[in-house]
Structure formats: C-alpha cells, structure tokens
Amino acid sequence: MLPLSPAEIRMMFGRLRDTMGIIVLSRRDICCCFVLPLILLWSPLEAQTRYTIPEELRAGSVVGNIAKDLVLDVSAAADRRLRIASGSGKQYFSVSAEKGELVVNEQMDRESLCGQRVPCVLPLEAVVENPLQLHRVEVEIQDINDNAPGFNSRERTLNVPESITPGAKFLLDSAEDPDVGSNSLQSYSLDRNKHFVLNVKTQDGIKIPELVLDKPLDREKQAVHKLILTAVDGGNPVRSGTCEITVVVLDNNDNAPQFEKSFYEAAVDENQLVGNDVMKVSAVDLDEGPNGEVEYFFADKTSDALKSVFEINPKTGVISVKGLLDYEQANLHKFDVLARDRGNPQMEGHCSVKISVNDMNDNDPDIVITSLSSPVPENASVNTVIALISARDVDSGQNGRVNLTLAPGSPFKLSPSLSNHYSLVTNGPLDREAFPEYQLTLNAIDSGSPPRTSQNTLKITVSDVNDNPPVFSQRSYTVYTQENAALGSILCSVSAHDPDLGHNAKITYSLLDSRVQDVPISSYVYINSENGSIFSMSSFDYEKMKVLKVQVQARDQGSPSLSSNATVHVFIVDQNDNAPAVIYPSAALGSVSHQRMPRSAKAGHLVTKVTAVDADSGHNAWISYRLAEATDASLFGVSFHTGEVRTKRSVSEQDDSSQRLLIEIRDNGEPAQSSTVTVEVLIEDGFHEPVSESRQKSPELNKRSGRITLYLIVALASVSSLCLMTFFILLVKCARGSRGGSSCCIRRSDSGYKTPNRNLQIQLNTDGPIKYVEVLGGDVMSQSQSFGSYLSPMSEFSDFTLVKPSSTTDFTDTLNVLDASLPDSTWTFECQQVSVC
Ligand SMILES: *[C@@H]1O[C@H](CO)[C@@H](O)[C@H](O)[C@H]1NC(C)=O
Ligand SMILES: *[C@@H]1O[C@H](CO)[C@@H](O)[C@H](O)[C@H]1NC(C)=O
C-alpha cells in the first residue's frame, strides 16, 4: 500500500460518493468478471470492485477494464496515472495505460496462493493521482483441477507373514490433492487381485486407505503380490495418482520336505568297495531359507546293522556303501530315509528304500564230511557206505551249485543222494595188505563264473580181516641131522608169515599128529610154538630111521583162524657108528671059526670067504678086508674087497696043519671102525670039498636050502614088485614131466647125464639075485646125501644076510621123499640087469 496523504484519502472518498450507484461490469474477458457496484451502494465510501478469474491465467490476460469500472476516463486514467499498488508481495496484476485494463502480470497458482482457503481472494489497490484516489479492488481466483491426487511415495512394500489370517489390515499412506472442492481427492481403488480388498476409512475428514487380507496367503504359490492403489479426484477431467504396493509374503515353515518318490529301489553287487555310491534320494521343501534346507537321515528305527553297511550323505542324499555287503548275510535291505528341514519347528518327510544285493561268486564251496566210518573192514562188500559228504556253497543260484568229484584211482566212488549230498561207497574190493590206507581227494567246484573250487582229503584206513593164511617160507623143508646128535638139539626153524595184522598175523606153530614107527611124532621132535624152531626129542639112529617126515602147521589167531601146512623132512645123516659085523664065518663072539682045507690045495685055493656087513651106509659101509695076523703070512691072502681067503701058494708038507688067521674087517668111515675075525684053518690030508656033499647029503641041509630058496623067491618077488612100483612112479613122473614137453622116461635130465649132481640113482647090482641098491640124492660127491642098502651079498651059505626090512618096505616112500625133497632135481634111474624088473 502506498502511503496516502490525508488529502488523497479525502479525495478518494469524495470520488467514491460521486460514483455511487454505478455498476461497472466488465465483460471483456472469457471469464465472467463482475464488477459489483452494489456493494458500493451499501457503503459508498468503501465501494469495491471485484473480479473473478480462474487460476493459471497466462500473463497478459485481461481481467477487466478497471478504469471504466472506477469510472475514470480512459484518457484521464492515463493522465492520472492509474496503477495497482501492491504491498511487498508479488505484483500479479498491472493496468494497461492505453485502455485502463487490469492485466494478469504473472501466472498464478491458486494452491500456492491460498492453499485450501476458499474463496481465494487477492485484494488489490488501484491508485490514481491528481487527485490522489485509492480504490480497493478484489480479484477472486477460482480453483481449476490442475492437480492430480498424489502419494508421498510411489512405492510401498509390505512384509506379510504367510500364516496371517484373513481380515488382517495394513494401513496404507493416503494420497493428497492440493485442489479443493470437487477437484480434491474423492476415492481410492485397488486393482483386481485374489487376496486383498481395500477399505477406506475417514479420519478427521481425511480418507485413509487400508489393505485388508481377504483370502489366506501361500508363499509357496505366490511369494510376492504387486498391487496398484489408485487415488481419484472429482475434477473434470478426473485426475488420479497411483502407488505400487508390493506385498512380500514371508515364509513360514509350513511345508514338509517331500521326496520325489515315496519308494526307492536299487540293486547293488555284493562286496562293493566302501564308499561306492549306491543310489541317491532327493526331497524338495517348498519353503525357503532354512525352512527349505533339507537334510537326510536314516529313520530312527533303522537298525545298527544297516547303519554299519550303508551311510547317507545328509547334504546330498547319496546312499553309499559303508561296510561289507554280504549277500549271504542279507540279500535285501529295507529302510526308511527321512528328510528334515531346518525350520522351526522342523518338518520331516519320509521315503522307503529297498536295496537288493546281487550275489557274486565270492564263497568257496565247502566240503563237509558229515559222518565217516573209518576204518573200513577190508572185506567190505561193494557199495558199502563209508562216509556221508555234503558240498555246500553259501552263494546262491549257479554260484551255489556245487559239483563234487572224487579223484580217480581208488576203489571208492561218490554216489549222489539228496541235492549236494553224497555218499562215499566202495566201488571194488579192498585189500588191507596191499593198500592199508587211502587218501581220497575230494574236489568241489561251483557253477559260478569264474568257478571257485575247494579240496578236502579224506583219510580212510582199511582194517584187517583174517583173510590170509600164514604162508610158510618153504612148502617143504629139508633138514639133515647127524644121527646120534644130542637130544634136544635144534633141527631147524620153520617160519611162516601172515600179512594180516595183529592177532590175525600172530602165528603159532604146531606139529600135526602122525605116527612114525608106531610112535607119535611128538616123541621125536618138539616145535616151539612161538618161533617155529624144531628140536629133536630123541637122538636118531640112522640105521633105524633114515628120514623123518614132520608135518607142521602154522595157525594164526584170527577168528576164524587160518592155517597152512608144511612138511619138514628130517634126513638123518649116517655116522660111522657101526663096526662091520662079520656074518660069515659065523662065530660066536670071541670064538674062533674053524675051516678045513686039503693039503693038496693049489695056490689060489679058496679057503673061505669072510663076509661082513656094516649097518652104516655109504663110505661107512664100504668094507675092506685085510689079513692082520697069520701063522704063515706067506700062505694066505685076503682079497681086499671080497674078503676071499685064498692060498697064495700050494700047501706044502711043511706047512703047519693048523693055521691061524686074524682078519681085520674095516669100514671106510671116518674114523674107521673095524672088527676082526679069527679063522683057524685046518690043513688035512685027503680032505675033499665039503660043500656039495654037505648040501646034497644032509637032509637038514636040503631043508634049509629049500627054505632059503623060498626066501629068495619071496625076496625076488618083492624086489620085482618094487621095481614095478618104481616104474609106475616113474611113469607118473614121466606123465608129469611130459606136460612140460620134456621127453624122458628113465632118465630125466635137463642138465645132462654127465652132471648128475642132483639125481636119484638106484642101482640094483644083481650079480647074485640082488646085491645092492643105492639111491643117490643130491650131490653125488657128498656121501652124506646118499644112502644105500646092501641087499644080499650073496654066498652059497649066507642065507640070513638079507635086506633090512626098513630098506625095502620104505623103498617107495624113500623115493617119494627124495622126489619131494629134490623137487627140481634131475634124476636118473638106472637099473642094471634090467631083466630083473
Ligand atoms: C626159538 O625159541 C627157543 C627157546 O626160546 C630158542 O632156543 C630158539 O633159538 C628160538 N629160535 C629162533 C629161530 O629164534
Ligand atoms: C593140514 O593138515 C591137516 C591134517 O592132515 C589137514 O586136516 C588140514 O586140512 C591141512 N591144512 C591145509 C591148509 O592143507
């Protein structure tokens, strides 16, 4: 306001009275501008001019003709310098000098000038000079909808837990619209969504929007909701403002971990290395953060055994091998796995897992000997069951199918019974003596690939059965013993062997009962039952017995016992224990034999013939004669061999008529034995040969000679029959011998006639009827192995000098004995003067 002098004020009032009742109305502008002089009418002194304009007029816009309205001449107005006086503030209006119009000086914003004040009136003072007058002018600025409702912040974020219940309210910022009246904020709206609705409440005249949860939230379905809140005013056109509301749904641990499958299945080979992966389980938790972090565990009820075999990685869910996977212990593992999140409270999900274990051929077959009956008696029949064997393999299927075999080469076989069960049976005869023990090798092989094998040995002992009789070391024994040997001397030892065992092999020796010369054999010999030594019980006399046949028996102690026999031929070897015995001339011991001879006898006259026999044999029986003493040794001579006493020369007259001869008869033994005979020779004149006379004339003599003849016939017949028997034996021998292809009859000899060192020679020297039979056995050079008999050194008068009965009756026996004792010998039989046979 300009400072007005009191004169100016008085002038102004004066003018105001002058213009009373005049309405100044300016219609020059687009807006309705009214000058209301009516007011002035009421108060002529304070009459005011009032204009109404909309806000936001551009500069230069005419508000009204103020000069006119103030009833001023336009020219006068210019002269009087009509102007708008303004206070300290902005000069929004000015007066154009030419036309006196009130012009907008600067664009005005109602909201900044008046805010929410209504009406918004700007008071102006128009000043004119000469005289100075002051006019009050008001300009009312009307609102236009030039502002949209606006939010303080265009974005708003709400964190809402997903568990919140419907009905929950969230206060939102209200929007502001500086316009007034209907141009101001009228309403809010929310874009279409599923979960929220809008509620607007009025508080102190201000509309406040609220977000109300209508339906429950699920973060897992939608974690973030974007909403647009729109504020609308009532202007024309309508203006609006928006705010973007972001609702972040906060996670709640409302989801349990969920396995992809409720049931997992896997197969794994047994004997996997520790640490190998088997399978993987996997669970998903829709929650986020720790609520969605899943860890895997074995279910609580899982056995420790399973936990020792498998382990599970809590982070990854990989199940791996932890311990030994053995199909044979467990071929199927079933367990539960749980997944647990880390929310609060924790939530769990479960699944079941089945892991089957595949069998591998990891077990050797096993050979089990269920029962074994050993030892086996050697007489066990074929198919006797000896052992029950089973072959096992803990693997399954082909890996557990076992084939059991027995190494060949034994009298046993396996016969299969039940599956994988076998019985070991005998397959042939057993012989403990040959094989007392068997080591059987059993091989088991399974059908796996590659197959596995195992071995077992079975020791089977064979027990003894008394199936072998004792066997003598020789079928027959030949023993030579000197006659007159000491009583109780050991003759020989027989021995038998029994391959059996124990009692079955324990041998006792005994003599088989027999009689020799009517005396039991036990009187002759004794056998040590323990060791088979045979002792003499008597001293033998060769002259009584040449050979002793002893049957011995060896018997084992088995049950039943077995025995075998052997023959021992005890050959009694001659000793020169007999002196030659003078048979002729017979003379009582110590007496003298008297012989007569004619004095006319010529040289060579047979005086007598000394005949002697020696009971010994061989050399011991070879007798020689010698004239030991003689009255006249020149007259008589004794034939060394024949014992014939002959005159050496013709007897002369001078010769003594009584001649005494001492003849020594000596055998060839060592030492030699001898005897003597004394012959008294009576030389008679005219003496004739007495022999024929006495034989012819003496009836007693005839009778005697007839008897001798009978004896001779008997002897001859017996010798002949002996011969025949001998031939018969020889024939048998021949028949036996010819089987071997040899062609001999009388003489069987492979080694030749010239070496009859082991032969049987029978000599029948018969330059009488029979003189001498000699049987040679063995080495012909050894006289100890020969024996012979003089049958009859024939002489016309020697009637009783015949064969010793033993020599002839035992003749065939003797041959047999010899044949038996010389089984492999070649032997010759010589029969001199075959005509006898
Ligand atoms: C057998 O036993 C007897 C008596 O003990 C003994 O004299 C003999 O020498 C033994 N024979 C053998 C072959 O040992
Ligand atoms: C042995 O001899 C006896 C008597 O002669 C006889 O009974 C037995 O059978 C014989 N034993 C054998 C094995 O030959």
Side-chain angles (χ1 to χ4, degrees):
M1 293 282 275
L2 291 171
L4 292 174
S5 61
E8 275 185 331
I9 294 168
R10 255 180 286 142
M11 183 196 74
M12 276 182 74
F13 273 94
R15 283 207 52 177
L16 207 55
R17 261 179 333 253
D18 294 342
T19 58
M20 238 175 41
I22 299 167
I23 299 166
V24 178
L25 191 64
S26 171
R27 288 191 180 98
R28 289 191 54 185
D29 215 346
I30 45 167
C31 302
C32 288
C33 308
F34 300 99
V35 179
L36 295 174
L38 292 176
I39 301 163
L40 296 173
L41 291 176
W42 300 342
S43 156
L45 286 177
E46 294 291 324
Q48 282 192 5
T49 305
R50 185 174 180 136
Y51 301 96
T52 298
I53 59 168
E55 60 175 326
E56 307 286 346
L57 276 182
R58 281 192 308 271
S61 301
V62 176
V63 177
N65 197 324
I66 191 168
K68 223 179 191 179
D69 293 336
L70 290 178
V71 199
L72 291 171
D73 205 2
V74 176
S75 55
D79 293 340
R80 294 178 67 186
R81 291 187 57 218
L82 174 64
R83 65 181 193 273
I84 297 296
S86 73
S88 57
K90 277 193 168 173
Q91 198 70 39
Y92 289 105
F93 301 96
S94 62
V95 178
S96 65
E98 302 88 22
K99 297 178 181 173
E101 287 172 331
L102 187 64
V103 177
V104 174
N105 212 19
E106 191 177 338
Q107 196 166 341
M108 286 160 293
D109 181 28
R110 192 202 67 80
E111 284 74 29
S112 54
L113 287 174
C114 301
Q116 290 297 305
R117 217 166 354 108
V118 178
C120 179
V121 177
L122 285 181
L124 297 177
E125 284 173 357
V127 179
V128 282
E129 292 173 6
N130 291 330
L132 185 64
Q133 288 180 323
L134 187 65
H135 298 274
R136 199 171 286 265
V137 175
E138 283 182 345
V139 178
E140 182 187 343
I141 300 169
Q142 288 186 320
D143 184 43
I144 65 166
N145 194 18
D146 61 342
N147 284 291
F151 290 92
N152 267 346
S153 130
R154 307 222 12 139
E155 285 171 5
R156 172 79 194 273
T157 301
L158 286 175
N159 288 323
V160 179
E162 62 175 323
S163 59
I164 201 159
T165 48
K169 293 177 180 171
F170 305 95
L171 197 64
L172 300 176
D173 291 339
S174 48
E176 282 173 7
D177 192 330
D179 293 331
V180 294
S182 64
N183 288 336
S184 68
L185 178 81
Q186 296 299 312
S187 65
Y188 293 99
S189 68
L190 196 62
D191 63 335
R192 181 179 282 273
N193 73 91
K194 286 177 189 164
H195 294 275
F196 296 97
V197 293
L198 192 67
N199 181 41
V200 180
K201 65 176 182 182
T202 310
Q203 203 175 349
D204 296 333
I206 300 169
K207 292 190 170 90
I208 301 173
E210 275 179 340
L211 202 58
V212 179
L213 184 66
D214 189 33
K215 286 183 182 139
L217 294 170
D218 187 353
R219 189 203 65 81
E220 286 71 34
K221 278 187 189 147
Q222 192 174 354
V224 173
H225 299 265
K226 296 254 186 208
L227 303 171
I228 306 286
L229 179 66
T230 309
V232 188
D233 63 17
N236 185 17
V238 169
R239 286 180 173 254
S240 64
T242 58
C243 173
E244 193 182 69
I245 299 169
T246 304
V247 178
V248 177
V249 184
L250 297 180
D251 186 46
N252 234 10
N253 194 20
D254 55 351
N255 284 285
Q258 181 84 35
F259 279 97
E260 288 166 350
K261 293 191 271 180
S262 64
F263 175 66
Y264 288 85
E265 196 171 10
V268 62
D269 289 346
E270 66 175 328
N271 298 333
Q272 288 274 338
L273 292 180
V274 168
N276 278 6
D277 291 351
V278 178
M279 62 183 301
K280 179 177 179 352
V281 296
S282 154
V284 172
D285 192 324
L286 297 175
D287 294 327
E288 66 176 359
N291 294 340
E293 279 176 21
V294 176
E295 286 187 326
Y296 301 92
F297 303 96
F298 287 122
D300 291 343
K301 62 182 176 186
T302 309
S303 69
D304 288 344
L306 189 119
K307 287 181 187 164
S308 69
V309 177
F310 294 110
E311 67 184 349
I312 187 163
N313 185 321
K315 293 267 182 296
T316 61
V318 170
I319 297 173
S320 58
V321 177
K322 183 184 178 192
L324 178 68
L325 264 180
D326 190 354
Y327 174 89
E328 285 68 36
Q329 272 177 17
N331 57 10
L332 184 64
H333 298 277
K334 280 179 168 174
F335 52 93
D336 286 353
V337 172
L338 63 86
R340 186 183 289 151
D341 62 27
R342 297 171 68 183
N344 190 12
Q346 291 182 318
M347 299 197 73
E348 291 181 352
H350 291 258
C351 72
S352 30
V353 177
K354 187 166 110 179
I355 297 176
S356 51
V357 181
N358 297 332
D359 185 43
M360 305 297 284
N361 195 16
D362 60 339
N363 285 287
D364 286 338
D366 199 10
I367 302 171
V368 181
I369 292 152
T370 319
S371 74
L372 170 66
S373 56
S374 174
V376 185
E378 58 180 321
N379 63 353
S381 60
V382 170
N383 278 335
T384 303
V385 176
I386 286 160
L388 296 177
I389 298 162
S390 61
R392 299 185 200 144
D393 194 322
V394 287
D395 292 327
S396 64
Q398 290 294 323
N399 295 337
R401 182 162 301 164
V402 185
N403 192 21
L404 189 68
T405 53
L406 179 67
S410 69
F412 299 98
K413 70 172 181 188
L414 283 172
S415 78
S417 54
L418 297 168
S419 70
N420 282 355
H421 283 74
Y422 298 83
S423 46
L424 182 73
V425 298
T426 51
N427 196 26
L430 302 177
D431 186 4
R432 190 206 63 81
E433 285 70 37
F435 300 101
E437 187 181 293
Y438 292 94
Q439 295 275 1
L440 302 182
T441 305
L442 296 162
N443 290 304
I445 180 165
D446 65 23
S447 308
S449 168
R452 297 181 78 110
T453 60
S454 67
Q455 267 198 355
N456 200 349
T457 53
L458 195 56
K459 186 172 151 185
I460 291 177
T461 46
V462 181
S463 65
D464 189 46
V465 165
N466 194 20
D467 55 351
N468 286 287
V471 178
F472 277 100
S473 56
Q474 291 168 242
R475 236 180 72 206
S476 74
Y477 295 82
T478 305
V479 182
Y480 299 95
T481 181
Q482 297 286 326
E483 63 174 331
N484 305 323
L487 204 144
S489 63
I490 190 161
L491 292 177
C492 73
S493 279
V494 296
S495 78
H497 171 70
D498 193 322
D500 291 328
L501 209 64
H503 277 302
N504 297 338
K506 188 153 172 39
I507 297 171
T508 50
Y509 300 92
S510 60
L511 296 175
L512 286 177
D513 208 15
S514 64
R515 296 180 82 81
V516 176
Q517 294 175 4
D518 272 349
V519 178
I521 191 83
S522 54
S523 309
Y524 292 99
V525 290
Y526 157 79
I527 189 163
N528 183 317
S529 64
E530 301 276 313
N531 61 16
S533 287
I534 299 173
F535 301 88
S536 61
M537 294 284 284
S538 60
S539 89
F540 299 105
D541 185 356
Y542 173 83
E543 284 70 36
K544 284 197 186 121
M545 184 160 50
K546 305 270 179 296
V547 62
L548 182 65
K549 188 173 143 195
V550 182
Q551 298 264 49
V552 293
Q553 187 175 63
R555 178 171 290 277
D556 62 29
Q557 293 181 7
S559 169
S561 64
L562 295 171
S563 67
S564 61
N565 298 343
T567 312
V568 180
H569 293 110
V570 181
F571 289 100
I572 294 140
V573 178
D574 185 44
Q575 277 193 325
N576 195 17
D577 58 344
N578 289 288
V582 178
I583 296 168
Y584 185 87
S586 60
L589 193 67
S591 71
V592 176
S593 163
H594 296 277
Q595 299 287 334
R596 290 181 295 164
M597 64 171 283
R599 193 171 286 276
S600 58
K602 301 284 183 284
H605 175 81
L606 178 66
V607 178
T608 186
K609 182 172 191 287
V610 178
T611 305
V613 291
D614 195 316
D616 296 324
S617 61
H619 283 282
N620 296 335
W622 290 4
I623 294 171
S624 58
Y625 304 87
R626 189 172 69 87
L627 189 59
E629 279 175 37
T631 315
D632 185 354
S634 64
L635 185 55
F636 297 101
V638 176
S639 161
F640 184 75
H641 292 296
T642 62
E644 286 173 340
V645 181
R646 289 180 188 271
T647 50
K648 282 162 116 181
R649 58 176 170 81
S650 305
V651 184
S652 68
E653 291 297 324
Q654 289 80 32
D655 289 328
D656 223 336
S657 63
S658 174
Q659 296 281 340
R660 194 182 179 88
L661 304 174
L662 181 68
I663 299 165
E664 186 192 39
I665 304 129
R666 195 181 176 84
D667 62 22
N668 201 27
E670 187 66 42
Q673 299 235 32
S674 64
S675 55
T676 54
V677 65
T678 310
V679 178
E680 188 84 40
V681 180
L682 212 63
I683 302 171
E684 292 174 347
D685 299 322
F687 171 76
H688 297 287
E689 291 293 330
V691 182
S692 58
E693 285 167 25
S694 61
R695 259 198 287 189
Q696 282 163 1
K697 284 172 186 172
S698 164
E700 200 194 341
L701 209 69
N702 273 347
K703 202 172 148 199
R704 249 178 78 186
S705 97
R707 229 167 46 224
I708 288 167
T709 312
L710 184 69
Y711 289 153
L712 280 173
I713 288 166
V714 168
L716 202 66
S718 65
V719 167
S720 301
S721 65
L722 202 90
C723 261
L724 274 171
M725 273 173 68
T726 311
F727 272 116
F728 178 72
I729 291 160
L730 288 173
L731 274 172
V732 170
K733 285 251 169 217
C734 282
R736 270 201 255 156
S738 63
R739 259 184 268 138
S742 166
S743 59
C744 71
C745 187
I746 298 296
R747 182 179 295 135
R748 192 179 72 177
S749 170
D750 294 331
S751 49
Y753 182 57
K754 283 180 179 174
T755 55
N757 58 332
R758 286 173 66 94
N759 62 5
L760 174 67
Q761 189 172 355
I762 301 174
Q763 287 184 345
L764 299 174
N765 290 340
T766 53
D767 50 355
I770 288 179
K771 186 179 167 191
Y772 175 69
V773 173
E774 185 164 22
V775 179
L776 296 171
D779 190 351
V780 83
M781 302 311 286
S782 160
Q783 283 303 310
S784 66
Q785 293 186 15
S786 69
F787 58 95
S789 289
Y790 287 94
L791 295 178
S792 171
M794 283 311 292
S795 149
E796 286 151 294
F797 303 106
S798 56
D799 7 343
F800 296 110
T801 61
L802 287 177
V803 192
K804 280 178 279 181
S806 65
S807 303
T808 47
T809 52
D810 288 340
F811 191 73
T812 48
D813 287 354
T814 307
L815 285 175
N816 287 340
V817 163
L818 283 167
D819 189 27
S821 67
L822 304 166
D824 296 324
S825 67
T826 60
W827 53 280
T828 56
F829 177 81
E830 285 183 7
C831 201
Q832 296 183 352
Q833 193 161 4
V834 192
S835 57
V836 174
C837 303

